[in-house]
DNA sequence: ACCTGAACACCGTTCAAGT
DNA sequence: ACCTGAACACCGTTCAAGT
């Protein structure tokens, strides 16, 4: 089960994990201000009164990623934003992998705690949708989580807490151990609020200069063209917004939850 | 719908896409031999009789990724394996992004074509399981597909062919356009054979040196511990193989397919 | 006209020199 | 003992020099 049964899930426990669930952490908030504009950066460089800490480093890293994507996060750039020499970071973070781990944990810590006294399905549903909102605020995070997962099997501490809570909800809701196990696998990455779409739905500004003409597309891809045409017309505008991602996410989520509920009551 | 309704899906059409479905492509096979051992590499460097081509470059890149992961793929290393100066690659590939696109298309081209004359569910099921086998042979591919998806919305040509075929199967199976649309979203990345597991199940050789003692784990994560214990005992050995990934994948896939079948017949 | 070596602007991390 | 600048081994890509 997720590789945790071989003792490989004993993640290192680090203090920065214990953070509230009231939105962005203090470290992230202060770092946003720090990297918010160039004047502040220069000031920070001139007067590094605050002592460096793992929390400040992680906050700056998250802010950089939120603003410029994960490629904007490098040891050198974090150091620059903090007005510090790159090597200074290595006193608080072993290497870049540990930095990414810390960033993931800070994000996962933002997910709302589970509701209490409600049926399992509503509780799980709300929590997953909360996780989705958090990851929509930090679009880089799901890719970091996924890359980290492949590199090292032991989940980070905050992810462990999250999973523990999810398993508890299912067990309390009457799921057998086996069905709980299968349920976790079935929901997969949706547990953390992201479903990997094969194609991005973002509004691409560039209209694809070397695109084949529509007739050729319709001939080559008749079924896709039909689908695209129907959805475009349904929304009443040719350049309207794309799919309702929220609806599609909930559609798939409910398909799974309803199926699990059926299996739960059938045994 | 996957962003394709805004005309952004007119992927560039390149000749290397048109490949059979009989396993690894010729380019990949020959490149495997080329990079197979050092002697061959040196020989290739000494006698570059074969002219450089996009196919040879892609084949070498795929072989390098299969052997050493995606980090082993760099313009410089590909050139070295081909006995060529790095800049020579840029005559056949615009940049590294285009190279990755080509690698993805070569892999997707390996997926079995759909069976004919069978019900929609079996056909879709078989095809997705075939895609899964392909991606298990090339563990780097799903991550590249996902990263590419976020960077640019238009799918690569081979992916477009695959999607067109999938949509056709659903439509022929009696799905309405709307339900076809939702079905594609619901299956998400499973369509291409990978479900993003939150935790990797690979046998990690290192036993986590700084792991907390089991009692502490059991106290902190009682539900997870119960799950892990049950699954370990179920398999009868403490260090036995992990979860049955194939089973879990099919469990989730069937949950979705059964749910879709119910929706299909209910309208 | 073509090919390619050097160079540019990065990166994470090591290591020894300076305080 | 601590901090840090230079250096190392990479990377993708530009560009001008050489043929």
């Amino acid at each position: 089960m997720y590789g945790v049964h071989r003792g490989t899930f004993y993640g290192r426990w680090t203090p920065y994990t214990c953070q509230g669930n009231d939105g962005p952490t203090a470290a992230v908030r202060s770092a946003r201000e720090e990297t918010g504009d160039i004047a502040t950066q220069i000031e920070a460089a001139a007067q590094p009164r605050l002592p460096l800490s793992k929390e400040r480093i992680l906050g700056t890293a998250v802010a950089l990623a939120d603003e410029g994507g994960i490629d904007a996060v490098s040891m050198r750039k974090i150091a620059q934003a903090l007005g510090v020499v790159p090597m200074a970071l290595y006193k608080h973070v072993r290497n870049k992998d540990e930095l990414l781990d810390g960033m993931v944990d800070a994000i996962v810590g933002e997910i709302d705690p589970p509701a209490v006294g409600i049926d399992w399905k509503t509780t799980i549903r709300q929590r997953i949708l909360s996780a989705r909102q958090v990851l929509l605020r930090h679009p880089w995070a799901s890719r970091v989580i996924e890359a980290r997962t492949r590199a090292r099997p032991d989940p980070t501490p905050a992810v462990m807490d999250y999973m523990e809570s999810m398993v508890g909800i299912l067990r309390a809701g009457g799921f057998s151990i086996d069905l709980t196990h299968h349920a976790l696998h079935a929901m997969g990455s949706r547990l953390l609020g992201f479903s990997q779409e094969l194609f991005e739905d973002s509004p691409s500004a560039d209209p694809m200069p070397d695109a084949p003409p529509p007739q050729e597309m319709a001939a080559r891809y008749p079924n896709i063209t039909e689908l695209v045409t129907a959805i475009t017309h349904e929304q009443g505008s040719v350049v309207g917004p794309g799919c309702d991602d929220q609806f599609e996410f909930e559609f798939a989520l409910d398909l799974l939850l309803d199926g699990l509920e059926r299996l739960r009551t059938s045994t």
Side-chain angles (χ1 to χ4, degrees), chain A:
Chain A
M1 172 277 168
Y2 289 115
V4 292
H5 56 290
R6 217 170 299 110
T8 61
F9 68 133
Y10 299 111
R12 261 169 272 105
W13 195 256
T14 44
Y16 62 82
T17 314
C18 310
Q19 286 158 351
N21 291 300
D22 41 15
T25 62
V28 173
R29 276 196 305 272
S30 75
R32 284 238 178 75
E33 288 151 23
E34 232 161 77
T35 61
D37 58 72
I38 309 230
T40 322
Q41 271 180 250
I42 292 170
E43 190 214 10
Q47 308 182 357
R49 57 214 143 177
L50 286 177
L52 209 53
S53 69
K54 186 162 185 176
E55 210 181 16
R56 283 189 73 215
I57 293 172
L58 291 177
T60 304
V62 168
L64 283 175
D66 287 348
E67 286 170 21
I70 196 63
D71 286 340
V73 176
S74 75
M75 302 302 273
R76 289 165 136 103
K77 283 176 188 162
I78 296 169
Q80 191 186 10
L82 286 167
V84 150
V85 83
M87 281 315 296
L89 304 179
Y90 285 82
K91 291 282 129 176
H92 302 87
V93 176
R94 192 166 330 198
N95 49 30
K96 195 177 182 183
D97 275 341
E98 190 175 307
L99 177 99
L100 293 174
D101 280 1
M103 292 172 69
V104 167
D105 258 21
I107 297 312
V108 173
E110 289 183 24
I111 300 173
D112 284 335
V116 289
I118 324 267
D119 63 300
W120 75 269
K121 209 161 107 177
T122 308
T123 310
I124 295 271
R125 193 173 193 279
Q126 283 179 353
R127 197 114 195 268
I128 290 181
L129 292 179
S130 168
R132 176 171 149 81
Q133 290 308 310
V134 169
L135 290 196
L136 285 178
R137 287 202 296 268
H138 309 286
W140 48 271
S142 58
R143 204 153 29 121
V144 172
I145 293 171
E146 199 242 323
R148 202 217 96 101
T149 295
R150 306 212 180 215
R152 217 143 16 100
D154 59 304
T156 58
V159 172
M160 278 296 285
D161 281 349
Y162 182 76
M163 296 297 301
E164 168 68 15
S165 163
M166 287 304 225
V167 173
I169 293 166
L170 290 172
R171 294 290 286 134
F175 277 69
S176 74
I177 289 188
D178 263 9
L179 191 52
T180 300
H181 177 204
H182 298 325
L184 292 180
H185 273 284
M187 295 193 279
S189 65
R190 240 173 283 259
L191 260 187
L192 261 183
F194 58 94
S195 67
Q196 299 299 31
E197 299 290 355
L198 284 183
F199 309 105
E200 197 59 35
D201 207 11
S202 66
S204 79
D206 54 340
M208 265 326 240
D210 52 353
Q215 317 88 291
E216 193 180 316
M217 289 299 303
R220 165 129 220 125
Y221 306 116
N223 292 296
I224 292 180
T225 302
E226 180 194 41
L227 204 63
V228 167
T229 306
I231 291 159
T232 305
H233 286 178
E234 187 181 276
Q235 297 191 164
S237 84
V238 185
V239 287
C243 306
D244 185 340
D245 285 337
Q246 183 71 21
F247 175 87
E248 300 299 346
F249 184 88
E250 295 187 25
F251 178 90
L253 179 58
D254 290 337
L255 214 56
L256 288 171
L257 293 179
D258 290 344
L260 291 171
E261 172 68 8
R262 229 179 323 256
L263 289 176
R264 185 184 71 87
T265 54
S266 76
T267 54

